[in-house]
Amino acid sequence: MTTHEEIINNLKDIRTVVEFYRFQGASSFEYYNIKSNHFDNDSNHYVYFSITENHHYYFTVRRIRQLINTIILRNSPYNISNKCLKDDRAFHYIENLVINSDSLRKLNSIALVCDSIYYELLKENSIYNIKKRTPNLIERVDRKIYGGGYGVSSTWLDLFDSLTLFSSYTRITNEDVFKLVKNMKKDGKVCTPYFIRDILSNKERVYKISSNLYNSFHKYEIINSLEEIYDRKLYLESTIFATNPTKVINEVLCSYQKNRDKVLVMLDNKYHKYY
C-alpha cells in the first residue's frame, strides 16, 4: 500500500472525505485531465460522476457496451447482445475487433477523494434534471440505480476541483474489455457491474495528491467559488446557502483546512523517517 493510499484510508475511516468515481475515455472529452490532476472546465458543460463504486461499475459496463456497438461494430451485422454472444461465430468476430481496436486504448476508471462537506452541499442543492430550470444547478441522476450520481458544471465544478485532495486512476485495456465481454457471454448478462468490478479491483491504481494542498492561498479560490455560486443563485432556496451563505463559507473553509492540515502532517510524519 502506498503512502497516499494509507492517508486516504485514514481519512475515510474518520469520514472526513468522500470518494467520487468517473469513467472517461474513447470518444468522450476528457474533462478530468489525468496529467495535470485537475478538471479542464468548460463553463457550460456538465461533468457526471458516481457516488458509489457499484454505480461507477454499472455505468462503465453500460458505456463500454455502447462504445463497442456504436464504434467498433458500427459497420458489422453484430452487436453486444445475448443473442450474438451465444453465437460462437459472432463472438469470435467481436473478440478479434475488441482486442485490436484503437478506439479502446484510452479508457480510464477515475476516483476523486474530496472533502466530505462538498458531498453535503451536493445533496442539499441538487435537483433532478427534468425539473431543472436554472442553468448550472447541480443535477441528481440515476438515484435508484446503485446510489446514482451527480452532474456539476461551471463554478460547482471549480469548487469540486478545489476541494479534491487526492485522485487515482487505472487504465482499462483492450484485454480488460475482452474479459468483460467473455463474462457477459459466460453469464448471459450484458449490463451488470460485477463483471468489471472483478477486473478493476485487481488492477494497480496510480495515486496523486492535489497540488492545491501545497498552496496556502488556495482558500481564497474556494471563497471566490462559493461567493460566485451565491451571486449567481446556483443553490436551492430551501437550503442554508440561501439564508446564511457566510455560515456555509466558513464551514467549508474550516472543513477543508482541517483535512489539509491532517494530510500535510501525515505526509510529513511518513517521510520524516527518510531524512
Side-chain angles (χ1 to χ4, degrees), residues 211-221 256-257 260 264:
S211 59
N212 293 332
L213 290 170
Y214 299 110
N215 180 3
S216 58
F217 297 100
H218 180 61
K219 61 184 179 182
Y220 299 113
E221 293 185 32
Y256 174 79
Q257 193 60 48
R260 176 179 181 265
L264 294 179

Side-chain angles (χ1 to χ4, degrees), residues 182-230:
K182 284 179 65 178
N183 287 339
M184 291 177 177
K185 176 179 175 63
K186 180 180 177 181
D187 282 42
K189 299 177 181 178
V190 295
C191 196
T192 177
Y194 308 109
F195 293 161
I196 198 72
R197 182 192 66 183
D198 295 339
I199 295 169
L200 296 184
S201 61
N202 293 317
K203 290 174 66 74
E204 182 177 356
R205 300 190 70 87
V206 178
Y207 288 84
K208 293 184 177 182
I209 188 170
S210 174
S211 59
N212 293 332
L213 290 170
Y214 299 110
N215 180 3
S216 58
F217 297 100
H218 180 61
K219 61 184 179 182
Y220 299 113
E221 293 185 32
I222 296 174
I223 294 173
N224 286 337
S225 292
L226 289 165
E227 288 180 340
E228 185 175 343
I229 288 170
Y230 182 76

Side-chain angles (χ1 to χ4, degrees), residues 87-221:
D87 184 318
D88 288 339
R89 181 178 179 180
F91 177 75
H92 290 309
Y93 178 88
I94 293 170
E95 169 190 15
N96 183 62
L97 290 183
V98 166
I99 288 295
N100 295 291
S101 174
D102 289 332
S103 300
L104 299 174
R105 299 196 185 279
K106 290 186 178 182
L107 307 185
N108 290 285
S109 168
I110 299 168
L112 302 170
V113 179
C114 187
D115 193 299
S116 60
I117 200 165
Y118 185 74
Y119 183 39
E120 298 304 317
L121 291 173
L122 290 181
K123 290 190 293 184
E124 293 173 0
N125 292 280
S126 60
I127 192 167
Y128 293 109
N129 55 3
I130 59 173
K131 297 180 180 179
K132 184 163 61 68
R133 294 293 182 268
T134 303
N136 303 126
L137 287 178
I138 302 167
E139 289 188 5
R140 183 75 165 97
V141 296
D142 291 346
R143 183 176 63 87
K144 296 181 179 180
I145 304 176
Y146 301 107
Y150 292 91
V152 296
S153 67
S154 185
T155 315
W156 278 113
L157 185 60
D158 292 335
L159 185 62
F160 186 20
D161 192 85
S162 286
L163 295 178
T164 295
L165 309 176
F166 292 92
S167 70
S168 70
Y169 72 91
T170 188
R171 301 286 187 189
I172 302 174
T173 65
N174 289 47
E175 290 75 17
D176 296 329
V177 175
F178 176 58
K179 289 178 184 177
L180 171 62
V181 175
K182 284 179 65 178
N183 287 339
M184 291 177 177
K185 176 179 175 63
K186 180 180 177 181
D187 282 42
K189 299 177 181 178
V190 295
C191 196
T192 177
Y194 308 109
F195 293 161
I196 198 72
R197 182 192 66 183
D198 295 339
I199 295 169
L200 296 184
S201 61
N202 293 317
K203 290 174 66 74
E204 182 177 356
R205 300 190 70 87
V206 178
Y207 288 84
K208 293 184 177 182
I209 188 170
S210 174
S211 59
N212 293 332
L213 290 170
Y214 299 110
N215 180 3
S216 58
F217 297 100
H218 180 61
K219 61 184 179 182
Y220 299 113
E221 293 185 32

